Amino acid sequence: MTGFWLNGSPEGAGGPGLSPSLARANVRAWLAGEGIDAEAGAEVLLVVSELVANADEHGGGCTHLAVSVGGGRAARVTVAVGDRSPLPPVPRDDREDVLSERGRGWNIVRRLASRVDTSSSPGGGKVVRAEVAVPLPRPVRARRPDRQVVG
């Protein structure tokens, strides 16, 4: 298992924290280094974006972002985002305001992730973790050379 860590704004700084676009760019580059291309990692990047945006909007700013990948038949990418709020995320009813452009992030995360959990941080706040299955790239098989018929 390998991992990636990125600090947001320091504890108590009260700043906006890590932006979703900066988080996505860093995770995209890290995933590529792990052999996971942009297409295979698209759901991971969406989860990263939504969790970081939620931390900024509802959690007082993103304190850190950690991403790790484990193997198996499909890679399991775990995204962990810390913020300053001890309150857990609250799912919204998607039918509340069908025309709203906001309020769908947590539901998106829950649909894309195979597992989601929230835990308290030792220094206050919380960490939200989401595990996303990503197909591993297929190994390229060596082609057998074409046979020539000599006649």
Side-chain angles (χ1 to χ4, degrees):
M1 183 181 290
T2 61
F4 166 83
W5 177 276
L6 189 61
N7 284 325
S9 63
E11 235 7 89
L18 183 66
S19 73
S21 61
L22 181 60
R24 274 192 316 272
N26 279 278
V27 172
R28 183 181 298 116
W30 182 79
L31 288 173
E34 293 296 310
I36 300 171
D37 65 23
E39 183 179 343
E43 290 182 355
V44 173
L45 295 175
L46 183 52
V47 167
V48 164
S49 188
E50 293 298 338
L51 289 180
V52 170
N54 285 352
D56 279 345
E57 186 169 339
H58 305 292
C62 176
T63 58
H64 72 273
L65 164 67
V67 183
S68 60
V69 63
R73 293 192 133 214
R76 293 180 320 279
V77 179
T78 302
V79 177
V81 174
D83 66 34
R84 292 179 184 83
S85 172
L87 301 174
V90 178
R92 284 185 151 165
D93 184 348
D94 283 341
R95 299 168 295 178
E96 276 182 23
D97 184 358
V98 295
L99 298 178
S100 175
E101 293 180 14
R102 304 180 52 76
R104 292 184 171 79
W106 183 238
N107 290 339
I108 290 170
V109 169
R110 292 183 336 152
R111 286 186 185 118
L112 293 177
S114 57
R115 193 182 87 191
V116 179
D117 66 64
T118 304
S119 61
S120 299
S121 289
K126 68 178 169 298
V127 176
V128 178
R129 285 177 196 77
E131 188 175 280
V132 182
V134 177
L136 292 174
R138 290 189 177 146
V140 178
R141 288 201 260 169
R143 270 183 34 151
R144 292 176 35 194
D146 292 333
R147 293 189 209 180
Q148 289 184 334
V149 178
V150 180

